[in-house]
Amino acid sequence: MRKFVLGLAIALAACNIASAKEYITLESPAGNTIVDENGGWILGPYDNLHVDYMKGSNTFVYGSFYENGQKRYVNLSNIAYLPAGYEYEFDYYYARALTDGGFKLVNSNGTYAINDVVNQYSSVNKNLILGRKGDYWYLYNQKNGNQILTNPIKDSWKNIDFLQSNKD
């Protein structure tokens, strides 16, 4: 069966069939390699390399592999490596780096959106994001994951007023 899958993947890559998927995993004894529908190299060879998550017309494509005995995750759309040492759950714009008490939120480019362990999040705009720790919400810089305000927001959304400037 593996030889058939490998043969089919190579045939699709070589023939550039329009219905071929954009990411194809080629298996070999040296490790798996991911290629595009034209046979162009994307990543590999790595031990147990494969595509884990694909959404949004292949804008958000994540793969995983083993390097030096540690599982690593990478955004295959832009070859951005996610922080090591975590298992991940994926969403369109973010990856959740799972921890014992919740998760850290990672941008698709591999930087932290929230570099704190939270159990819920909500994006405010392209620069700001809220993260919930226990009963409190905290404001973070979405570009680097740093907490902006040390004063927590208690309870619920009724305690947050969103104001917008007409000049923006």
Side-chain angles (χ1 to χ4, degrees), residues 20-34:
K21 295 193 186 245
E22 292 185 28
Y23 295 89
I24 301 167
T25 302
L26 304 176
E27 297 179 359
S28 77
N32 295 353
T33 300
I34 295 180

Side-chain angles (χ1 to χ4, degrees), residues 4-23:
F4 173 74
V5 172
L6 178 59
L8 178 61
I10 291 171
L12 289 174
C15 297
N16 191 17
I17 297 173
S19 63
K21 295 193 186 245
E22 292 185 28
Y23 295 89

Side-chain angles (χ1 to χ4, degrees), residues 82-122:
L82 304 184
Y86 300 101
E87 286 293 325
Y88 284 89
E89 288 180 352
F90 300 101
D91 200 349
Y92 277 95
Y93 295 100
Y94 305 105
R96 290 182 293 281
L98 304 177
T99 66
D100 289 338
F103 57 88
K104 291 184 175 189
L105 201 62
V106 179
N107 291 308
S108 61
N109 66 2
T111 62
Y112 285 108
I114 299 177
N115 192 8
D116 226 345
V117 177
V118 297
N119 54 28
Q120 194 175 356
Y121 71 92
S122 180

